[in-house]
Amino acid sequence: MKYNKINNLTGWICFLVAALTYILTLEPNVSFWDCGEFIASAFKMQVVHQPGAPLFLMIERFFSIFAFGDVTKVAYFMNLGSAIASAATILFLFWTITALAKKMLVKADEEISTSKMISIMGAGVVGALAYTFSDSFWFSAVEAEVYALSSLFTAIVFWGILKWEAHADEPQSDRWLLFIAYIMGLSIGIHLLNLLTIPAIAFVYYFKKTPNPTTGGVFKTFIVGVLILAVVQYGIIQYLISFGAYFDLFFVNTLGLGFGSGVLFFAILLIGGLVYGIRYSIKHRKRVLNLALLSTALIIFGYGSYAMIVIRAKADPNLNNSDPDNAFALLGYLNREQYGDRPLLFGPNYNSQRVAVKEGKNLYRKGEDKYEVAGKKTDYEYDRTTPFPRMYSDDPRHVEYYKDMTGLDESQFPTLFDNISFLFKYQIGNMYMRYFMWNFVGRQNDDQGQGSLYEGQWLSGIKPVDAILLGNQSNLPPSIVDSKSYNRFFFLPLIIGVLGAVWHFKRNQKDAGIVALLFFFTGLAIVLYLNQKPLEPRERDYAYAGSFYAFAIWIGFGVLAIREWLEKKVTPKNAAIGATVLSLFAAPIIMAAQGWDDHDRSTKMVAHDIAVDYLESCAPNAILFTYGDNDTYPLWYAQEVEGIRPDIRLVNLSLFDTDWYINGMKRKMNESEPLPITMKESQYVQGVRDVMYYQDYKIAGSVELKSILEVLLSDNDEDKIQVTETTKENFIPTKNFHITINPEDVLKTGTVSPADANKIAPIMQWTFNKGYVTKGTLAMFDILAHNNWKRPIYFASTVPSEQYNGLDNYLYNEGLALRLLPLTPDTAASRTEQLNAPVLYNNVMNKFKWGNIKHAKYLDPQSADDISIFANVWNNTVTGMLKEGKVAEAKKAANKYLEVMPDKFYGMRSMMGTYFMAENFYMLGETAKANEIVTRCADYIQKELTYLADVSESKNRLVGMQNVRLGMSFLNQMANTTAQYKQMPLAEKINNQFKALEARFGPYLGQE
């Protein structure tokens, strides 16, 4: 059989293995984070968060067709789209490895021997399957996120340049370069990571066209590659839109023509210029110019997928992030302006002081008939700056992390070397190398790692080696050994990859350098560019999958390195077979065996069900305030795709400070009527009432909220304060607000039942909890002032309490949402005791779903965290029923808790929720059940803290202080509780556990 047939057949076998793997482990419905937004937006062709992914949305929309109208299957088939794209990535990776291997092992026109054929195919299979089962790539392969499709485009581009190299001496070989340009243009509509292959592509071109490369030539090629990357990323992606926007500004504001006329004129100029240039290059035989212009044109053609963003924004869909329906809005959308800037080469440290505000260019917004100035782009000037700032955030939590990581005190200003130290310790060490080692060495667990020695670290499974990094590993705790992500590869994939890299550099430095460049630009270069702050909300390993892709090529070449060594001992054919089999077991097989259980999401429904529970917590026609990604995106999916509770209006408070989002809230969505917002758009557009500060006017008592609103919206200069010499702004003169309650409105709308009529407060009075008002807060005030209790108002239970704006005493728990009720506050009750118990009980027992958390094969970190949310709901339900004297209902709820909640603990928070239920069982007289739960909780704490004590002793410092204090506190509480309920043997056992651990931690706790 010819080489090409074998190569193609083996590649497709790898594709099938990968596809089967990902389909079997596929998430059956929506996932957390961005997936809910992407699925909802793809299904209805809506506009996602900046900078958008239009081509991804269109491709996923195609996959949704296979649901054949069953909206409950839409998410599955979109997830399937990622699985197929990921399997195709493996196919192109296989062909890339075999192309590189063949070039090194087989000379031109040489007949390929059986041993070399086995070696080449073995290298491809081992490298491709190693990447198939790599942790980071596998995670993205089973959910509807952009990274799977982005990886495919990266793989196609790198494979394409090798195809060009193989045919570069043939006529019309440049078609491969043009193919690459078009694929890159298309990839912009998915994710920009694909562009990082450009420097490597430049070197393939240089080495092919230069028989005798020089050091100077290599340096120039690197510069050219980076320049081409910059031209595409900034020149084409940003400045083309910027030129179009300013052409439009001139045509609209100066010439008086309609919106879009300037963009159209600029497009005609651009197309005309490209056509003229291409014709000129053909006529005068300017090959390089022709190639450059055609490549530019094809990149722009691919980039044209962004037309979908503008077209759909003009249709005002329900999800219309940033509303980029004009040139300037699109420019801000592509520039990710809502996310702000970060310093890269020069800037402040965390303790630099702001001394002035520097104004830049005008910011424009679309007005009625022309563009209006919305303000100026501003930047701060600082008293002290530093080159290469890595520690620049002044967030107090970040500042503490910086100081803890570097050992700096309050008086010290971080130097260049301090910033470089942070780069290596945190940004490279924790946010890249840790991920790299997860994929090729092993993983401790899937708790999010922020630098601690017991959460989310890498480990190999070789305890003496792991002890060097992590401390004494002799008594591993349940949070490690019971974690599905406790993966031990014993360094084997890493060793195979390093052998392959060394062998590659010895055999072909040029190609090895190209792979190394791909490895660098898709890994460490991203680290340098992102300049990440500490305490990220989730792990970011998906951003570096391209780097792991490059290393997988070297894992494939590890087969060739081992084969070369074995050939000294056995026949070439046996050496090839032996090297392939050995490498298969050392890399992909062990990675698959260890990784399967922590990537099998086929039975998990947490994101879907918790979204349903948030919605079902609300009464009909409710307004539900949410805050983060995971209490918003799955709910968008539930409403937009499955049509669950379309009567509820979701209001994301993180987006509520933008004019475009408030505009959307003033329109009907699904079955939800517009919100009662009375403000005119001119009163809250970008640049108007962005922030209004508190100025204490010593007003006695509280002020009606409508009066506060009138002051904040007033255009009268008497209602404003001087901010600068030329500007005045609205302000809040007091923080003490109230709403006068009409009991008839409250009863008529069913907000409060007639039985509780005597609890209705005559006025709802509260103290605003911030020193400023943003336009989002202003919009909330508008809703509160004019709703008149016609629509129920809720806050998701995950909304930070500061976002309640001081309304805490009027919020009552009804499940996963807190309802605003105008009841006289019970000042003696604690915050957690404010329950609307009957509604809560009905929701929990009859409406809520639990995501199959008890029986799911694997729960990803966010799903595991949500166990604590579910446990809190159950505990509130039982407590609420007991408080109302409904013991039978409390028992039913407590026993149903045992039916649906997992027995396994997913960390200390999970244990805490379980223990609180044990206290409820004691109160219910279910002593045996309570004892069993308390025993499990105490044993869990003992094992966790024994491990932390071992590590602390080996590191000679306290490790895991928060868990130690939490665990000791709960052990003490358990001893007291069991003694209170006369369970003396158990109380004595727990007390002994407490004393033993106290003795071990005493020296360290005394130092704190």
Side-chain angles (χ1 to χ4, degrees):
M1 192 181 292
K2 291 184 178 180
Y3 171 82
N4 286 343
K5 286 186 177 180
I6 295 174
N7 190 42
N8 289 338
L9 178 62
T10 311
W12 282 106
I13 291 172
C14 289
F15 169 88
L16 290 174
V17 170
L20 185 62
T21 296
Y22 301 145
I23 291 170
L24 289 175
T25 57
L26 201 67
E27 181 128 4
N29 204 276
V30 67
S31 306
F32 283 112
W33 301 105
D34 296 347
C35 297
E37 182 194 20
F38 281 132
I39 296 170
S41 297
F43 186 61
K44 291 185 177 179
M45 287 289 97
Q46 303 184 89
V47 182
V48 298
H49 64 274
Q50 301 175 358
L55 184 61
F56 170 77
L57 298 180
M58 288 186 273
I59 291 173
E60 288 290 52
R61 179 69 181 95
F62 166 76
F63 276 95
S64 74
I65 294 171
F66 295 102
F68 295 110
D70 184 351
V71 292
T72 65
K73 298 294 184 184
V74 166
Y76 174 84
F77 281 101
M78 289 193 185
N79 293 341
L80 182 66
S82 287
I84 298 302
S86 299
T89 303
I90 300 305
L91 172 65
F92 282 101
L93 173 58
F94 172 86
W95 284 337
T96 296
I97 294 171
T98 56
L100 290 169
K102 182 187 176 188
K103 189 165 70 166
M104 288 183 290
L105 294 186
V106 182
K107 296 176 182 177
D109 301 324
E110 176 188 349
E111 186 175 341
I112 303 176
S113 65
T114 302
S115 65
K116 288 184 177 179
M117 181 72 79
I118 294 171
S119 299
I120 294 168
M121 296 302 123
V125 169
V126 169
L129 293 184
Y131 193 58
T132 298
F133 301 114
S134 63
D135 182 56
S136 300
F137 185 69
W138 197 345
F139 188 89
S140 295
V142 296
E143 63 181 19
E145 250 278 24
V146 296
Y147 299 101
L149 202 58
S150 176
S151 294
L152 172 58
F153 276 68
T154 299
I156 292 173
V157 163
F158 200 69
W159 168 82
I161 194 61
L162 296 181
K163 293 293 286 186
W164 170 84
E165 184 187 36
H167 300 280
D169 298 328
E170 300 173 8
Q172 300 181 334
S173 61
D174 285 352
R175 61 184 176 175
W176 285 105
L177 298 176
L178 299 178
F179 167 77
I180 289 169
Y182 183 57
I183 293 295
M184 281 194 165
L186 289 173
S187 75
I188 296 169
I190 299 169
H191 200 283
L192 297 182
L193 286 173
N194 181 264
L195 302 181
L196 297 173
T197 59
I198 290 175
I201 289 171
F203 273 96
V204 175
Y205 188 90
Y206 172 71
F207 288 139
K208 185 63 179 179
K209 293 295 184 180
T210 310
N212 299 305
T214 63
T215 303
V218 168
F219 181 75
K220 289 177 182 176
T221 302
F222 180 80
I223 298 298
V224 169
V226 173
L227 284 175
I228 295 172
L229 172 60
V231 166
V232 176
Q233 183 164 351
Y234 297 105
I236 294 178
I237 295 176
Q238 293 182 15
Y239 281 101
L240 272 186
I241 305 300
S242 182
F243 281 129
Y246 281 96
F247 264 83
D248 213 40
L249 178 68
F250 175 75
F251 273 66
V252 174
N253 285 24
T254 304
L255 301 183
L257 298 176
F259 290 109
S261 55
V263 173
L264 181 61
F265 182 79
F266 174 70
I268 292 170
L269 278 182
L270 178 64
I271 294 168
L274 285 171
V275 169
Y276 174 80
I278 292 168
R279 290 188 58 160
Y280 174 86
S281 66
I282 294 171
K283 183 177 179 180
H284 295 278
R285 299 184 180 278
K286 303 285 187 180
R287 178 182 171 277
V288 175
L289 177 62
N290 178 261
L291 183 62
L293 290 174
L294 283 173
S295 296
T296 301
L298 287 168
I299 290 173
I300 294 172
F301 282 162
Y303 185 29
S305 65
Y306 267 88
M308 172 263 191
I309 296 290
V310 180
I311 292 167
R312 294 304 298 153
K314 285 186 176 294
D316 288 329
N318 291 344
L319 306 183
N320 188 15
N321 198 301
S322 302
D323 191 16
D325 66 348
N326 64 84
F328 279 100
L330 180 63
L331 180 62
Y333 183 79
L334 291 168
N335 289 343
R336 296 167 58 94
E337 288 182 355
Q338 76 178 42
Y339 296 110
D341 298 322
R342 60 191 178 280
L344 291 178
L345 298 179
F346 204 79
N349 278 318
Y350 60 83
N351 53 358
S352 299
Q353 299 299 313
R354 296 169 179 170
V355 294
V357 177
K358 180 172 61 178
E359 288 190 344
K361 63 181 182 180
N362 287 335
L363 299 174
Y364 292 95
R365 62 169 179 259
K366 184 181 178 182
E368 286 294 324
D369 51 11
K370 65 179 183 178
Y371 289 107
E372 300 171 351
V373 176
K376 289 183 178 291
K377 188 173 177 60
T378 59
D379 199 3
Y380 292 105
E381 292 182 354
Y382 294 87
D383 59 345
R384 294 177 294 179
T385 55
T386 183
F388 203 60
R390 302 287 103 179
M391 298 185 288
Y392 57 90
S393 172
D394 58 2
D395 183 305
R397 299 179 309 129
H398 298 161
V399 171
E400 286 303 312
Y401 196 98
Y402 293 143
K403 291 192 292 188
D404 183 61
M405 179 71 74
T406 58
L408 297 171
D409 59 34
E410 295 287 344
S411 63
Q412 293 173 291
F413 184 77
T415 65
L416 170 64
F417 294 106
D418 292 325
N419 278 281
I420 292 174
S421 172
F422 182 76
L423 165 71
F424 280 96
K425 285 182 179 178
Y426 177 77
Q427 293 180 330
I428 292 178
N430 195 65
M431 298 303 288
Y432 175 74
M433 284 306 303
R434 181 168 60 98
Y435 299 146
F436 178 83
M437 302 296 263
W438 278 3
N439 283 273
F440 304 114
V441 173
R443 185 171 180 177
Q444 187 182 58
N445 53 35
D446 58 8
D447 294 344
Q448 184 170 351
Q450 301 288 4
S452 63
L453 295 178
Y454 59 95
E455 293 173 324
Q457 282 288 353
W458 66 269
L459 53 67
S460 65
I462 304 172
K463 287 191 176 182
V465 177
D466 296 335
I468 296 172
L469 171 71
L470 303 173
N472 187 342
Q473 299 291 294
S474 56
N475 294 302
L476 293 179
S479 60
I480 294 178
V481 295
D482 290 346
S483 171
K484 297 288 181 69
S485 294
Y486 178 42
N487 297 333
R488 290 138 292 164
F489 304 151
F490 309 105
F491 286 98
L492 294 175
L494 177 67
I495 292 170
I496 299 293
V498 170
L499 289 175
V502 171
W503 182 89
H504 198 195
F505 272 100
K506 285 183 177 179
R507 293 293 296 261
N508 190 326
Q509 285 189 356
K510 296 177 185 176
D511 284 358
I514 289 165
V515 176
L517 206 62
L518 179 67
F519 180 77
F520 171 77
F521 269 93
T522 54
L524 293 177
I526 297 177
V527 173
L528 297 173
Y529 179 74
L530 290 178
N531 196 8
Q532 284 174 322
K533 295 177 282 192
L535 305 176
E536 287 284 327
R538 59 168 166 157
E539 301 286 16
R540 302 295 189 185
D541 55 305
Y542 53 80
Y544 310 110
S547 181
F548 309 148
Y549 179 96
F551 191 78
I553 295 174
W554 283 329
I555 289 180
F557 291 160
V559 173
L560 306 182
I562 295 171
R563 164 190 169 271
E564 189 173 275
W565 178 76
L566 287 177
E567 275 187 339
K568 299 173 184 176
K569 306 178 184 301
V570 296
T571 63
K573 181 178 177 181
N574 288 338
I577 294 172
T580 300
V581 172
L582 180 64
S583 300
L584 277 171
F585 277 96
I589 290 178
I590 193 173
M591 292 166 74
Q594 290 284 309
W596 191 283
D597 58 354
D598 56 299
H599 292 90
D600 186 357
R601 294 195 249 168
S602 60
T603 55
K604 180 177 75 68
M605 291 288 288
V606 180
H608 175 275
D609 287 0
I610 200 170
V612 173
D613 296 347
Y614 276 116
L615 294 170
E616 292 294 356
S617 295
C618 302
N621 201 32
I623 300 167
L624 174 60
F625 291 108
T626 63
Y627 187 75
D629 292 358
N630 290 327
D631 62 10
T632 303
Y633 293 161
L635 280 67
W636 282 352
Y637 160 81
Q639 286 191 325
E640 297 294 307
V641 179
E642 295 195 20
I644 297 170
R645 294 302 304 274
D647 58 302
I648 294 174
R649 178 58 63 97
L650 300 174
V651 184
N652 182 277
L653 293 172
S654 300
L655 302 175
F656 213 22
D657 287 332
T658 59
D659 54 0
W660 58 266
Y661 192 73
I662 296 173
N663 288 340
M665 294 297 106
K666 293 171 71 176
R667 294 192 296 268
K668 182 175 181 177
M669 290 187 186
N670 301 317
E671 295 176 14
S672 169
E673 294 299 321
L675 293 185
I677 297 174
T678 63
M679 296 187 295
K680 300 174 185 176
E681 186 175 358
S682 60
Q683 294 176 307
Y684 60 83
V685 292
Q686 181 186 2
V688 176
R689 293 182 175 86
D690 290 336
V691 182
M692 293 166 285
Y693 291 97
Y694 168 62
Q695 188 76 24
D696 190 359
Y697 266 50
K698 309 296 183 183
I699 298 173
S702 59
V703 179
E704 185 73 37
L705 185 60
K706 284 184 179 179
S707 300
I708 294 293
L709 197 62
E710 288 174 6
V711 171
L712 292 172
L713 292 175
S714 173
D715 291 323
N716 191 331
D717 278 355
E718 294 180 0
D719 294 323
K720 299 181 180 183
I721 55 173
Q722 199 81 33
V723 177
T724 67
E725 291 182 3
T726 58
T727 60
K728 288 186 172 183
E729 297 286 351
N730 296 87
F731 68 100
I732 43 173
T734 179
K735 291 186 179 182
N736 299 315
F737 306 156
H738 74 252
I739 297 175
T740 302
I741 306 300
N742 182 348
E744 291 182 9
D745 290 341
V746 176
L747 294 170
K748 182 172 62 177
T749 58
T751 303
V752 175
S753 67
D756 292 327
N758 62 328
K759 296 180 182 179
I760 299 174
I763 64 168
M764 202 171 82
Q765 184 174 327
W766 74 98
T767 300
F768 182 56
N769 61 357
K770 298 171 186 170
Y772 58 89
V773 170
T774 62
K775 63 185 62 179
T777 309
L778 182 63
M780 185 188 290
F781 288 169
D782 200 353
I783 293 169
L784 293 172
H786 296 101
N787 184 47
N788 297 323
W789 306 102
K790 292 178 182 176
R791 299 181 69 168
I793 294 176
Y794 291 84
F795 289 82
S797 60
T798 45
V799 170
S801 58
E802 64 267 18
Q803 296 299 323
Y804 301 157
N805 292 325
L807 291 164
D808 307 52
N809 289 334
Y810 300 97
L811 296 177
Y812 291 79
N813 194 319
E814 294 187 0
L816 285 177
L818 310 175
R819 184 170 183 173
L820 184 68
L821 293 174
L823 303 179
T824 303
D826 181 359
T827 54
S830 69
R831 175 73 194 87
T832 55
E833 291 175 333
Q834 289 188 165
L835 307 174
N836 192 350
V839 176
L840 173 60
Y841 181 81
N842 181 56
N843 285 339
V844 168
M845 298 300 287
N846 301 316
K847 293 184 178 181
F848 283 7
K849 300 180 179 181
W850 308 100
N852 197 30
I853 54 174
K854 189 177 183 74
H855 303 293
K857 295 177 183 177
Y858 172 68
L859 297 179
D860 61 273
Q862 183 59 45
S863 298
D865 282 349
D866 285 346
I867 289 174
S868 300
I869 296 176
F870 284 148
N872 188 49
V873 171
W874 281 111
N875 281 306
N876 281 335
T877 304
V878 176
T879 301
M881 290 296 100
L882 285 171
K883 187 176 180 182
E884 295 206 347
K886 298 177 180 178
V887 177
E889 286 85 350
K891 280 190 176 182
K892 284 182 182 178
N895 286 317
K896 190 169 181 181
Y897 164 91
L898 296 178
E899 293 175 16
V900 301
M901 294 294 286
D903 299 323
K904 175 184 174 180
F905 295 129
Y906 289 85
M908 283 290 187
R909 285 181 62 202
S910 171
M911 180 279 302
M912 288 162 53
T914 305
Y915 167 69
F916 289 139
M917 185 55 71
E919 290 187 332
N920 286 326
F921 273 116
Y922 278 128
M923 286 188 283
L924 288 168
E926 301 272 5
T927 304
K929 291 178 181 177
N931 286 345
E932 188 273 331
I933 292 173
V934 169
T935 300
R936 283 197 295 116
C937 291
D939 290 346
Y940 178 83
I941 292 174
Q942 182 182 30
K943 291 174 182 176
E944 291 293 321
L945 267 55
T946 296
Y947 172 71
L948 291 177
D950 291 345
V951 174
S952 297
E953 289 168 358
S954 63
K955 293 291 184 179
N956 199 29
R957 61 182 174 84
L958 180 61
V959 173
M961 180 181 70
Q962 183 177 359
N963 276 5
V964 170
R965 291 190 180 278
L966 199 63
M968 296 296 288
S969 172
F970 268 83
L971 272 182
N972 187 51
Q973 188 173 341
M974 289 174 195
N976 293 335
T977 300
T978 48
Q980 176 187 343
Y981 287 96
K982 313 299 183 188
Q983 305 302 302
M984 303 315 296
L986 182 55
E988 185 178 354
K989 175 192 171 186
I990 295 173
N991 198 41
N992 290 336
Q993 290 174 317
F994 177 85
K995 289 179 179 178
L997 289 168
E998 186 179 45
R1000 294 195 68 182
F1001 284 110
Y1004 306 105
L1005 291 171
Q1007 296 170 7
E1008 294 298 319

